[in-house]
Amino acid sequence: MKVRDILREGIAKLEAAGIDNAEYDARELLKQAYGMDTAEFLMNLDRTLCPGASGGSEPSDITECPGDCGAKLTFDTSINMRSRRVPLQHILGHVGFMGYDFKVNSHVLIPRQDTELLCETVLANEKISSNKVLDMCTGSGCIAISLKLIGGYEDVAAADIDKDALNVALRNASINKADIRLITSDLFENISESFDIIVSNPPYIATARIAKLEPEVREHDPLKALDGGTDGLDFYKRIIEACTLKGSKEVLKRGGRLYFEIGFDQAKAVSELMEEAGFTDIRTVKDLAGLDRVVYGQRSF
């Protein structure tokens, strides 16, 4: 079989299963199964592959088949998993975010392009490298690690209630050589220090909406990373309330900024919560689709 024939077979199966972006997903799964990078894949679309070839710098010719070495079986298995709506990123085991590679599994929310805007907004506003930064509800650690590596902040902490998620964040920090601190905490329960910047992509899906999400999200992302309570605002309320405390529990310094990723219809509600708590200079940032995606404000009290 030629590379393009194997790819076409995979695309057809994914399309039959109703998978969006079937061509992209099949291509990525084929590259992984046969050990090709993008350049090798493009150069060898018309080459004949041994169905079991494991890959390498050049695909094997069918006349040189070393036997059943499993690549075609790996590809077919991956295609079947994707057809059952297992996320592509879980099958591949990693995802790109802010120019870095992050390991992912069922314990963490898959980093999404929308969240890059949250990082970009912080980086555009916060230029002082001595700022202390906290990423609350860190999951895979993608936000904290990206801010550390790109922003060069001296002290970046990442907190999450889930130890399995923090193990993923620890691995990602090690892979990307990012010196961040990891804190196991139910929000600010185990945090007694103050930060100049707090950033969070908290659970913000209203409970009733979860059943209507795509199967890739509903069945494979961790529920605790999705469920924001009846109105989707539970975690915003708790984080904002914690940031208003003074004294020994003053987690956000006076003059510091609080940054949130939000659902497309939550800007008004989250902005009002921050305004009622005393935050000033509250702003909303839209994503590339023109949807509200980030809300941030300054603690001036």
Side-chain angles (χ1 to χ4, degrees), residues 26-71:
R27 182 173 70 245
E28 293 304 303
L29 293 173
L30 188 146
K31 286 162 53 182
Q32 182 186 64
Y34 283 90
M36 299 180 188
D37 61 24
T38 299
E40 289 168 340
F41 167 78
L42 293 173
M43 289 169 54
N44 289 285
L45 278 170
D46 289 314
R47 288 295 301 272
T48 301
L49 291 178
C50 161
S54 59
S57 59
E58 259 188 39
S60 302
D61 187 87
I62 196 166
T63 61
E64 301 172 349
C65 177
D68 181 18
C69 48

Side-chain angles (χ1 to χ4, degrees), residues 120-196:
E120 291 166 356
T121 303
V122 175
L123 292 167
N125 291 340
E126 312 293 350
K127 304 293 189 181
I128 303 173
S129 62
S130 60
N131 278 336
K132 286 184 63 175
V133 181
L134 172 66
D135 172 24
M136 178 54 67
C137 307
T138 193
S140 67
C142 64
I143 294 172
I145 291 167
S146 298
L147 292 178
K148 176 67 177 181
L149 294 176
I150 301 173
Y153 303 113
E154 294 176 7
D155 187 359
V156 177
D160 204 289
I161 190 174
D162 192 317
K163 292 183 179 179
D164 290 323
L166 286 174
N167 284 335
V168 176
L170 177 62
R171 185 181 182 194
N172 283 325
S174 176
I175 291 170
N176 288 290
K177 297 180 172 57
D179 182 18
I180 64 172
R181 296 187 288 127
L182 299 175
I183 304 171
T184 305
S185 182
D186 181 0
L187 294 184
F188 296 94
E189 184 177 43
N190 297 328
I191 296 174
S192 57
E193 56 189 301
S194 298
F195 295 87
D196 301 285

